[in-house]
Amino acid sequence: MELFPEESQWELLAATGMREDFQAVWIEGDDINAIADELKVDPTTTLECDLATALRWSSAGARTPILWMGEHAPGWTFALVVAGSAADLRLPDRRVFDFCYLREIDEFYGVGNLYDEEGLDDLELNDDQGDEDDLDPHLIAVGRVTGRFIDRDWLAERRTLCRVPAGARTS
């Protein structure tokens, strides 16, 4: 794997329509069904879809998280939070990288446990907070640790749209 992606991670995401708020979770483990079970997702209420379809749910105003979840790389699952918040999802037996960017205040909250990972010394990860200009190094760091950067093929994949019920949350 290269140390840097071919294209800006944030610009790829922004080009798909995610320029506003962006919340995502990279979850250790590639058994998507097991992760969905841990989150208490009802498999009868899911929808396999592309990113454009999933993003239509971003204006749903849902309080419970709606995730677009699927394969990221061997050993990792990706979940884009299209509605609600992932801040209180419970996955206690898994390593999780939770990333949140709020356009309205131009601030992101990075993944604290990411900064202890090896091989990231050349990236400017001085802080786990910043503005839009600070997003790319943190997204590159997540890509290095998980073994895959975001690219056009990754964005074109179909994943599962699902609602995480209140019972899977800490509050």
Side-chain angles (χ1 to χ4, degrees):
M1 180 174 167
E2 297 291 323
L3 287 177
F4 292 95
E6 291 182 19
E7 297 182 72
S8 162
Q9 301 295 272
W10 178 242
E11 288 305 317
L12 279 170
L13 291 168
T16 66
M18 287 189 262
R19 185 161 289 283
E20 297 302 318
D21 293 351
F22 173 71
Q23 289 186 77
V25 183
W26 287 262
I27 304 163
E28 188 172 38
D30 49 15
D31 186 340
I32 296 163
N33 293 328
I35 293 169
D37 285 346
E38 288 175 42
L39 293 173
K40 298 177 177 55
V41 170
D42 179 353
T44 65
T45 63
T46 62
L47 172 68
E48 295 295 315
C49 65
D50 62 7
L51 179 57
T53 301
L55 288 176
R56 290 188 197 124
W57 285 86
S58 66
S59 61
R63 291 185 150 193
T64 59
I66 298 175
L67 307 177
W68 184 61
M69 186 169 68
E71 180 182 326
H72 175 67
W76 290 92
T77 295
F78 173 79
L80 174 68
V81 182
V82 295
S85 172
D88 56 357
L89 293 180
R90 281 190 288 174
L91 291 164
D93 297 328
R94 296 182 185 274
R95 190 164 51 154
V96 174
F97 298 135
D98 182 7
F99 192 96
C100 178
Y101 171 66
L102 304 172
R103 162 64 92 191
E104 186 173 308
I105 59 174
D106 192 26
E107 196 167 281
F108 83 91
Y109 301 93
V111 286
N113 52 345
L114 177 68
Y115 307 108
D116 298 330
E117 297 289 333
E118 298 285 321
L120 305 177
D121 296 338
D122 62 324
L123 298 172
E124 293 185 32
L125 302 174
N126 301 333
D127 201 335
D128 66 348
Q129 293 183 325
D131 60 20
E132 186 172 356
D133 294 334
D134 300 312
L135 294 175
D136 230 41
H138 291 82
L139 291 167
I140 291 169
V142 170
R144 283 186 190 175
V145 173
T146 62
R148 183 172 185 187
F149 296 121
I150 296 166
D151 57 37
R152 293 177 191 280
D153 289 339
W154 184 95
L155 290 168
E157 291 177 12
R158 294 176 64 84
R159 293 183 172 82
T160 303
L161 191 65
C162 57
R163 184 180 309 269
V164 178
R169 297 179 287 144
T170 58
S171 56

